[in-house]
Amino acid sequence: MKTTFLTIASLVFIAGLLTITTGFKTKAIQNEVSPEGLLTIPDSVNTVLQNKCFDCHNSNSESMKAKMKLKLDKLPTLSKRKLVSKLDAIAESVEEKDMPPEKFLAKYPEHALTDAESKILTDWANGAADVLMK
Ligand code: HEC
């Protein structure tokens, strides 16, 4: 029984790692060499996005609403104009404490952003948007 759980747990872990490394990170890295995408996602930001936002906001998310509004893995493929608007929306949703959603946090309070994490996200999103606007 215990072994089964461990096997499942490690499979889930490996699947998660694969998703993160193949889906999220390489796209961000790829983007640095693409002529249009000028977005760099520092590790500190990447960690917060992955831990607190990515589960809902990715191309394969079960939440249609979240997917419609923001697909983090697609950020680097956006045009400059769309990217700026997504970065602004990220900064705003974090500043206003709209994200992660209140209902979700009622169930999983440990997923709330700490003050330090909020600052990491807003500083990055605002800064990156400013650079793109120049
Ligand atoms: C539990 C799932 C979940 C998590 C976790 C989550 N979101 Fe969301 N997010 C949603 C949903 C659902 C919507 C769409 C809300 C709506 O349309 O009313 C949304 C919408 C958004 C929007 C669009 C807001 C707008 O007005 O257009 C942004 C930006 C956003 N989320 C950023 C984030 C960030 C940044 C994080 C991590 C700090 C995060 N979300 C974590 C579910 C989630």
Side-chain angles (χ1 to χ4, degrees):
M1 196 58 189
K2 215 173 177 185
T3 348
T4 324
F5 173 75
L6 279 179
T7 315
I8 292 169
S10 42
L11 280 178
V12 168
F13 180 68
I14 290 165
L17 266 188
L18 279 177
T19 317
I20 288 163
T21 43
T22 54
F24 201 44
K25 252 211 166 138
T26 49
K27 280 208 177 119
I29 290 162
Q30 259 173 21
N31 172 65
E32 286 167 37
V33 292
S34 88
E36 190 151 33
L38 293 165
L39 185 70
T40 45
I41 303 179
D43 285 349
S44 55
V45 174
N46 210 356
T47 306
V48 180
L49 290 174
Q50 268 169 34
N51 291 343
K52 302 281 166 88
C53 319
F54 192 71
D55 285 351
C56 297
H57 291 290
N58 72 80
S59 306
N60 301 317
S61 169
E62 282 166 22
S63 166
M64 188 53 80
K65 266 191 185 173
K67 208 158 47 172
M68 299 255 293
K69 295 278 179 168
L70 177 69
K71 293 189 272 285
L72 287 168
D73 51 329
K74 295 284 182 208
L75 273 190
T77 67
L78 297 180
S79 68
K80 196 188 245 196
R81 188 180 54 85
K82 283 204 174 139
L83 186 51
V84 168
S85 107
K86 293 297 173 195
L87 287 167
D88 285 345
I90 290 173
E92 196 182 316
S93 70
V94 172
E95 272 157 15
E96 304 288 320
K97 299 197 188 298
D98 285 339
M99 284 291 139
E102 213 174 320
K103 266 193 194 161
F104 170 73
L105 291 181
K107 256 194 191 165
Y108 306 100
E110 69 278 14
H111 285 267
L113 288 170
T114 65
D115 288 347
E117 287 173 333
S118 297
K119 189 169 168 3
I120 287 172
L121 285 189
T122 49
D123 284 356
W124 165 73
N126 287 325
D130 284 352
V131 169
L132 288 165
M133 297 284 278
K134 270 186 194 150

